[in-house]
């Protein structure tokens, strides 16, 4: 206590000004995800930096973490966690969340034995979503995407990457990127945008793929970069879609335009996409169900993040999952994502993906949490989130459970109890 001499001559005690905070979560089991920024590889993917104590937030950032950390703060709102698990807000680094309609008919057809390729050859698949997007307005796309982002938030995701790719013309791709960007500005979920004009060859270029690649490189990519509608560029590198030479051309044009690059690689066929991603310094190579040893070796050397999407393999009913254990053992940082899209994986919930990663990729709950937080942040090059540490964004999830292993064990229900985005407690309600 400081003291001052009062005018009457007596020494009067004056209380030291107490620092204020907006939010404290107290008495929690905190998975801090460690002190250092990501990525995490190998055995370090199983280290959660568990701390019993409090998290304190002010002006959207974390200001204190640890035992008794909330004491000494004048806190506006305190949440008593009663020993519950608190983690960083989840980060979903791969979605195709802007589209204009669903494709449940194809899901039924696939489940009765029709293949993805057969559906696509009859005008279904990505082409159907393209027709729907071209017929929809910016407002219609935003109105149908907003509830999906709300569901993501309700299930614990506080940052999401969204790719375009169902427009496939300059006008329609710009419309999708604008929709994603404007929804991010509405908040509270943060949106990172990726240009995926190279998702498929549009019908009007079916007989001249080279002309569409030129349009992508010479017109669409420079325009997207100039308008600052995307930070990243992605390509669906796949047999019969964009193969290695086209993918390289497109990603090199993206780098010239100042965009970061990432790649859909080795989803169905082993083409060398993982090696290409490594060679170009891509932030991530995604899917990787068909990756080979050369791809693993190249990614290990480049530090490219493997973004795995086991929900897609599951939803397509396919037998071969990405070799997560080999990737982790090789020292490649692994992240997980939903791939949320109307065709190959229609779920907003990273919790569901976590359980599929546990049973099919044989990942532990700790590895899965690392993959959905600190490693996902690294996949998007966002060092300001994905961990619980002073100075980072106060994106926090209070889970209705007392043991990390229950995150993936209890499935098909939403285990989020309370969520704070940038220190503000939020429920999905406000987006309805
Ligand atoms: O990531 N691989 C390409 N794109 C999506 C599927 C798109 C669709 O079927 O609409 C994916 O799986
Ligand atoms: Fe995808």
């Amino acid at each position: 206590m400081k003291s001052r001499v009062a005018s009457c001559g007596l020494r009067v005690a004056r209380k030291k000004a107490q620092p204020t905070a907006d939010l404290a979560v107290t008495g929690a089991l905190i998975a801090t995800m460690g002190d250092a920024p990501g990525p995490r590889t190998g055995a370090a993917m199983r280290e959660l930096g568990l701390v019993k104590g409090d998290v304190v937030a002010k002006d959207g950032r974390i200001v204190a973490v640890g035992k008794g950390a909330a004491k000494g703060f004048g806190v506006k709102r305190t949440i008593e966690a009663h020993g519950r698990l608190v983690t960083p807000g989840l980060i979903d680094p791969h979605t195709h969340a802007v589209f204009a309609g669903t494709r449940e008919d194809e899901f039924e057809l696939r489940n009765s034995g029709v293949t993805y390729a057969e559906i696509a050859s009859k005008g279904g698949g990505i082409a159907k979503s393209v027709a729907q997007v071209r017929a929809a307005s910016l407002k219609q796309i935003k109105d149908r995407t907003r509830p999906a982002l709300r569901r993501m938030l309700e299930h614990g995701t506080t940052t999401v990457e969204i790719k375009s790719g169902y427009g496939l013309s300059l006008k329609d791709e710009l419309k999708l990127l604008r929709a994603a960007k404007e929804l991010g500005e509405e908040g509270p979920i943060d949106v990172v945008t990726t240009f995926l004009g190279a998702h498929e060859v549009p019908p009007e270029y079916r007989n001249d793929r080279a002309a569409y690649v030129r349009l992508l490189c010479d017109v669409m990519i420079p325009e997207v970069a100039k308008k600052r509608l995307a930070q990243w560029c992605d390509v669906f590198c796949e047999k019969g879609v964009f193969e290695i030479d086209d993918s390289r051309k497109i990603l090199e044009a993206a780098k010239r335009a100042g965009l970061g690059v990432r790649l859909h690689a080795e989803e169905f066929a082993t083409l060398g996409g993982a090696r290409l991603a490594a060679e170009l310094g891509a932030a991530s190579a995604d899917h990787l169900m068909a990756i080979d040893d050369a791809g693993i070796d190249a990614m290990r050397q480049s530090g490219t993040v493997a973004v795995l999407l086991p929900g897609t393999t599951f939803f397509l009913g396919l037998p071969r999952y990405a070799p997560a254990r080999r990737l982790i053992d090789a020292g490649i940082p692994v992240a997980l994502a939903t791939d949320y899209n109307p065709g190959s994986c229609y779920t907003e919930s990273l919790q569901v993906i976590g359980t599929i990663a546990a049973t099919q990729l044989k990942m532990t709950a700790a590895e899965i949490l690392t993959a959905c937080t600190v490693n996902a942040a690294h996949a998007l090059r966002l060092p300001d989130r994905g961990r619980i540490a002073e100075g980072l964004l106060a994106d926090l999830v209070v889970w209705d459970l007392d043991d990390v292993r229950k995150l993936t064990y209890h499935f098909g229900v939403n285990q989020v109890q309370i969520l704070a985005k940038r220190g503000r407690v939020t429920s999905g309600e406000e987006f309805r």
Side-chain angles (χ1 to χ4, degrees), residues 236-245 247 264-276 290-292:
F236 185 24
C237 177
E238 185 57 52
K239 204 165 181 335
V241 191
F242 298 96
E243 301 198 3
I244 294 294
D245 288 351
S247 300
H264 279 69
E266 335 282 29
E267 182 172 355
F268 303 111
T270 311
L271 292 188
R275 267 178 292 153
L276 178 67
I291 191 172
D292 60 1

Side-chain angles (χ1 to χ4, degrees), residues 17-18 27 40 45 75 77 130 143 145 161 178 193 212 217 225 237 242 257-258 321 333 376 385 397 412 423 427:
Q18 209 185 18
R40 302 278 180 267
M45 280 193 70
V75 181
R77 178 164 184 180
V130 170
D143 286 348
T145 306
E161 183 260 19
R178 250 184 217 119
T193 49
Y212 186 59
C217 296
C237 177
F242 298 96
Y321 283 80
R385 65 197 76 191
V397 183
S427 70

Side-chain angles (χ1 to χ4, degrees), residues 94 96 103 106 110 116 125-126 129 166 196 199 236 264 267-268 287 309 312 316 339 341-345:
H94 181 141
H96 306 252
R103 301 191 339 236
E106 295 177 12
R110 274 203 311 274
Y116 193 76
I126 294 172
S129 290
Y166 293 121
L196 181 59
H199 195 190
F236 185 24
H264 279 69
E267 182 172 355
F268 303 111
H287 285 287
L309 306 131
T312 305
L316 293 175
D339 200 18
N341 76 74
S344 65
C345 193

Side-chain angles (χ1 to χ4, degrees), residues 98 100 130-142 164 166-167 169-182 229:
V98 277
V130 170
Q132 290 168 336
V133 161
R134 289 180 174 184
S137 68
L138 174 71
K139 182 176 182 311
Q140 284 168 329
I141 291 167
K142 282 173 69 178
S164 64
Y166 293 121
S169 70
L170 179 62
K171 173 169 130 305
D172 295 295
E173 286 291 305
L174 294 180
K175 180 169 70 184
L176 290 174
L177 290 172
R178 250 184 217 119
K181 195 167 178 218
E182 289 178 13
L229 283 171

Side-chain angles (χ1 to χ4, degrees), residues 138-215:
L138 174 71
K139 182 176 182 311
Q140 284 168 329
I141 291 167
K142 282 173 69 178
D143 286 348
R144 89 157 306 290
T145 306
R146 199 176 286 109
L149 299 190
R150 184 195 75 224
R151 283 189 289 273
M152 287 180 188
L153 193 77
E154 285 171 345
H155 287 81
T157 300
T158 49
T159 299
V160 59
E161 183 260 19
I162 300 181
K163 303 174 198 298
S164 64
Y166 293 121
L168 309 187
S169 70
L170 179 62
K171 173 169 130 305
D172 295 295
E173 286 291 305
L174 294 180
K175 180 169 70 184
L176 290 174
L177 290 172
R178 250 184 217 119
K181 195 167 178 218
E182 289 178 13
L183 288 167
E185 286 160 3
E186 278 180 22
I189 196 166
D190 287 332
V191 172
V192 174
T193 49
T194 298
F195 174 62
L196 181 59
H199 195 190
E200 181 51 286
V201 180
E204 60 277 19
Y205 283 92
R206 263 277 152 236
N207 300 317
D208 196 354
R209 174 189 313 270
Y212 186 59
V213 173
R214 281 198 301 277
L215 180 72

Side-chain angles (χ1 to χ4, degrees), residues 201-332:
V201 180
E204 60 277 19
Y205 283 92
R206 263 277 152 236
N207 300 317
D208 196 354
R209 174 189 313 270
Y212 186 59
V213 173
R214 281 198 301 277
L215 180 72
L216 283 165
C217 296
D218 301 343
V219 179
M220 293 167 85
I221 288 172
E223 196 61 21
V224 165
K226 194 175 96 194
K227 290 192 155 61
R228 297 189 179 282
L229 283 171
Q231 183 187 341
W232 299 98
C233 181
D234 193 346
V235 175
F236 185 24
C237 177
E238 185 57 52
K239 204 165 181 335
V241 191
F242 298 96
E243 301 198 3
I244 294 294
D245 288 351
D246 284 340
S247 300
R248 181 183 278 110
K249 269 186 211 153
I250 297 162
L251 293 184
E252 279 175 348
K255 285 171 77 167
R256 282 196 298 277
L259 300 178
V261 298
R262 43 204 328 113
L263 192 62
H264 279 69
E266 335 282 29
E267 182 172 355
F268 303 111
T270 311
L271 292 188
R275 267 178 292 153
L276 178 67
E279 175 198 320
L280 295 177
S284 70
D286 304 32
H287 285 287
L288 306 177
M289 279 137 72
I291 191 172
D292 60 1
D293 288 343
I296 292 177
D297 203 44
M299 285 183 66
R300 182 180 52 75
Q301 289 184 40
S302 64
T304 307
V305 178
V307 174
L308 304 184
L309 306 131
T312 305
T313 321
F314 173 80
F315 197 76
L316 293 175
L318 296 174
R320 181 168 59 162
Y321 283 80
R325 288 258 56 95
R326 275 170 58 214
L327 296 168
I328 292 171
D329 292 347
I332 294 169

